[in-house]
Amino acid sequence: MAFHRNAPQLSGLKRSSRRVTTSDSCLPPSMYSLRFSLKTQKFLIVLALTALVWIVFGQTAHFDWVGYDDHDYVYRSGRVTSGLNFSNIAWAFTHFHAANWHPITTLSHKLDCQLFGVNPGLHHFSSVVIHALAAIALFLTLDSLTAKIWRSAFVAAVFAIHPLRAESVPWIAERKDVLSGLFFALTLLAWSNHACRKSLARYLIALLAAALGTLSKPMLVTIPFVLLLIDYWPLDRFQKEKIISLILEKIPFALFAAASAVATVLAQHGQIDTFGFSLPLRFENAIVSYAIYLRQLIWPIDLAVLYPHPEKFFPFPIIAGCIALLMALSAIAIIYRNDSRFCSPAGFGLLACWSR
């Protein structure tokens, strides 16, 4: 798809027109600089994202194991430390590991042990590599969906070094979080390509990425709904295709999600303890937690590995305020859903940060 437009006046350059080809997006691209080609800009952004990740998280290659869960996930698990072989690969898919069923995550730990033994620094190195790839995939995804290259780069950069990632990347036991983030971004990228140029191969690539993400961390069971949201905006498929067909094509994704959810319930049966908290107490804590998550995205302070339950009801004004905030944000999103001024890669970036 080709677009003609006049380039802006730049110092030392004459005003001229040029042709910009966008093979990775079905949306009109934004204005790009004349100084570098589009491919060069993307290449430089990829290098910058990689550098950002390594500047912040590269130091973890000198870190030790974390004394919380790392032993269960890796260095005290004989099945993991014995590395990759046919028996261990089959075991990853047929057994629960650390009260979870995430065979792709388990296989990644086995591969590290196969290559590096139980050297914690090199296991950290693997996590940093995966996170760098996730940041790059997020940038390519946002650019593909919105055709706003520099906004997409900014959001991907924030994601790459956001303080909330300080738990997932340096903590080897949270490899599932880093892996699922990579496959989540790859799923959205593959879906964008499929929606713009439909083919069975592109559809299967998106389905494979979603399956690998779900097999890395069950949190990605929401992928079918996320794909529907993307179909609505920015792909605008609801205006071009029948809604029933859009729903039907998500059924294979939903089946993977359902299987993962069932396996997770079975894996964690007997492991989850509500400590006698009543359902209303847990429900209102969930409402407040949503508001806390939003605050942590914008103002990440008071972060911790575990957040102890307050074991009491929050004051009514706090609960009411959190409900009002969530309702207001939802209302704003609905009211301005078709206003391009409020549509940017930031929304997807927040989704990526929050989903992990």
Side-chain angles (χ1 to χ4, degrees), residues 139-163:
F139 159 66
L140 296 176
T141 299
L142 298 179
D143 180 58
S144 175
L145 288 168
T146 66
K148 298 183 184 297
I149 185 171
W150 292 106
R151 296 185 190 182
S152 300
F154 174 76
V155 173
V158 172
F159 166 78
I161 60 174
H162 196 283

Side-chain angles (χ1 to χ4, degrees), residues 205-235:
I205 290 173
L207 184 60
L208 175 62
L212 292 174
T214 306
L215 293 176
S216 299
K217 188 175 183 180
M219 181 178 287
L220 296 193
V221 295
T222 57
I223 277 182
F225 304 100
V226 174
L227 295 183
L228 277 174
L229 289 174
I230 290 176
D231 284 344
Y232 181 78
W233 183 86
L235 296 178

Side-chain angles (χ1 to χ4, degrees), residues 82-353:
S82 58
L84 284 175
N85 55 54
F86 180 80
S87 174
N88 281 348
I89 293 174
W91 180 89
F93 285 92
T94 57
H95 291 75
F96 301 137
H97 178 211
N100 284 285
W101 187 67
H102 40 40
I104 299 301
T105 296
T106 300
L107 289 177
S108 78
H109 290 306
K110 289 176 181 288
L111 178 60
D112 277 0
C113 288
Q114 180 76 35
L115 297 175
F116 313 129
V118 290
N119 183 328
L122 293 176
H123 286 253
H124 285 298
F125 174 84
S126 293
S127 292
V128 176
V129 170
I130 296 171
H131 181 59
L133 292 174
I136 294 169
L138 177 62
F139 159 66
L140 296 176
T141 299
L142 298 179
D143 180 58
S144 175
L145 288 168
T146 66
K148 298 183 184 297
I149 185 171
W150 292 106
R151 296 185 190 182
S152 300
F154 174 76
V155 173
V158 172
F159 166 78
I161 60 174
H162 196 283
L164 288 180
R165 305 276 65 78
E167 174 184 324
S168 302
V169 182
W171 189 9
I172 295 172
E174 278 299 291
R175 172 70 59 78
K176 57 182 180 289
D177 204 44
V178 184
L179 274 174
S180 65
L182 171 60
F183 288 122
F184 178 72
L186 291 177
T187 300
L188 301 188
L189 178 60
W191 190 255
S192 173
N193 291 332
H194 166 69
C196 293
R197 298 177 299 278
K198 284 189 177 181
S199 73
L200 178 60
R202 292 188 178 94
Y203 179 87
L204 292 178
I205 290 173
L207 184 60
L208 175 62
L212 292 174
T214 306
L215 293 176
S216 299
K217 188 175 183 180
M219 181 178 287
L220 296 193
V221 295
T222 57
I223 277 182
F225 304 100
V226 174
L227 295 183
L228 277 174
L229 289 174
I230 290 176
D231 284 344
Y232 181 78
W233 183 86
L235 296 178
D236 199 28
R237 296 181 69 197
F238 276 60
Q239 303 297 324
K240 306 172 185 176
E241 304 177 42
K242 294 181 179 180
I243 295 179
I244 186 64
S245 66
L246 297 179
I247 295 176
L248 289 176
E249 68 181 2
K250 307 301 186 301
I251 289 180
F253 294 87
L255 292 176
F256 272 112
S260 176
V262 171
T264 300
V265 171
L266 294 175
Q268 297 189 351
H269 179 70
Q271 301 291 328
I272 301 176
D273 191 347
T274 61
F275 300 99
F277 297 147
S278 65
L279 183 60
L281 189 63
R282 284 181 280 154
F283 180 73
E284 63 104 37
N285 181 69
I287 293 175
V288 175
S289 295
Y290 272 112
I292 292 176
Y293 293 155
L294 288 172
R295 190 264 297 166
Q296 288 177 337
L297 284 174
I298 301 170
W299 190 251
I301 60 172
D302 300 327
L303 304 180
V305 175
L306 293 176
Y307 298 89
H309 195 285
E311 301 185 16
K312 62 181 180 180
F313 284 99
F314 288 96
F316 177 77
I318 293 180
I319 300 175
C322 293
I323 293 175
L325 173 64
L326 296 176
M327 292 180 65
L329 291 176
S330 300
I332 291 172
I334 294 173
I335 293 172
Y336 294 103
R337 63 188 182 277
N338 294 322
D339 193 326
S340 61
R341 295 174 301 171
F342 294 89
C343 296
S344 72
F348 292 108
L350 290 176
L351 179 62
C353 288

